[in-house]
Amino acid sequence: MSNYRRMRVAGGTWFFTVNLENRQADLLTRHIAELKLSIQKAKQRHPFQINAWVVLPDHMHCVWTLPANDANYSQRWRAIKKAFTKSLPEHPIVWQKRFWEHSIRDERDYQAHVDYVYINPVKHGLVKSASEWPYSSFHRDVRNGLYPADWAGKVEDFQAGERKAGG
């Protein structure tokens, strides 16, 4: 049995990828109201800042910042996953056991990961531009003046959450 260890940084900013067990399922978008409620409940109990989030049918990417004295993002993911699963009629096996996390190192790393979050529906061929995808905090960031409404990025500039050199 492997001994998996996660990095802990109190008050850190993190990029996450969380997948459904069945990568052909559409539970996350089909049950978006339940997912949003699950996130709200987790945030009330264990606060965190949502810097960016996109929900696709079978997975989601997000960037969070934890409170200054807290490094426990796993607790938050457990709460979200548990509440979402319980909200489904038959409580199926929903989630892959683990998730992928990356500690944001600096402003350039932060921007590359937020861009990756927002370009993801385009990368997967679900829409032609980020503004067309409804399940994204991109719309909030447009309203706040952080992105132009017509931002599309270039899909070829993004791979595995990292911006290619020179991109």
Side-chain angles (χ1 to χ4, degrees):
M1 180 179 213
S2 65
N3 187 8
Y4 188 78
R5 294 189 181 200
R6 295 190 183 275
M7 179 188 242
R8 302 285 181 198
V9 178
T13 300
W14 298 88
F15 168 83
F16 298 100
T17 299
V18 180
N19 297 312
L20 293 179
E21 178 68 27
N22 177 358
R23 293 301 304 269
Q24 279 67 52
D26 67 350
L27 288 175
L28 297 178
T29 51
R30 187 163 31 106
H31 296 282
I32 193 71
E34 293 88 342
L35 179 60
K36 285 180 178 182
L37 187 58
S38 300
I39 294 164
Q40 278 180 333
K41 286 179 182 177
K43 277 188 75 182
Q44 286 172 351
R45 210 161 168 194
H46 311 288
F48 61 95
Q49 177 185 335
I50 296 172
N51 305 87
W53 204 309
V54 69
V55 178
L56 283 77
D58 65 336
H59 71 286
M60 52 190 166
H61 300 287
C62 54
V63 177
W64 295 354
T65 300
L66 298 179
N69 60 344
D70 195 337
N72 197 345
Y73 51 78
S74 291
Q75 176 184 55
R76 289 157 173 85
W77 279 118
R78 247 188 326 277
I80 292 167
K81 287 177 166 185
K82 184 177 179 181
F84 181 72
T85 301
K86 283 186 171 185
S87 76
L88 300 177
E90 295 182 19
H91 308 300
I93 296 173
V94 176
W95 304 101
Q96 286 185 0
K97 289 185 182 188
R98 291 198 168 93
F99 53 85
W100 192 82
E101 85 280 347
H102 166 78
S103 177
I104 301 295
R105 298 180 301 267
D106 55 30
E107 188 59 37
R108 182 180 169 150
D109 192 33
Y110 174 85
Q111 192 60 57
H113 281 82
V114 172
D115 287 352
Y116 181 78
V117 167
Y118 292 154
I119 201 68
N120 214 255
V122 177
K123 177 181 168 239
H124 286 280
L126 298 168
V127 291
K128 297 227 184 284
S129 70
S131 64
E132 295 174 14
W133 189 249
Y135 312 115
S136 173
S137 60
F138 177 76
H139 306 286
R140 175 203 65 195
D141 285 358
V142 168
R143 284 191 305 275
N144 291 337
L146 299 175
Y147 282 82
D150 62 351
W151 182 85
K154 293 181 182 172
V155 173
E156 59 272 12
D157 286 347
F158 298 91
Q159 288 187 336
E162 296 285 344
R163 199 182 254 281
K164 288 179 10 186

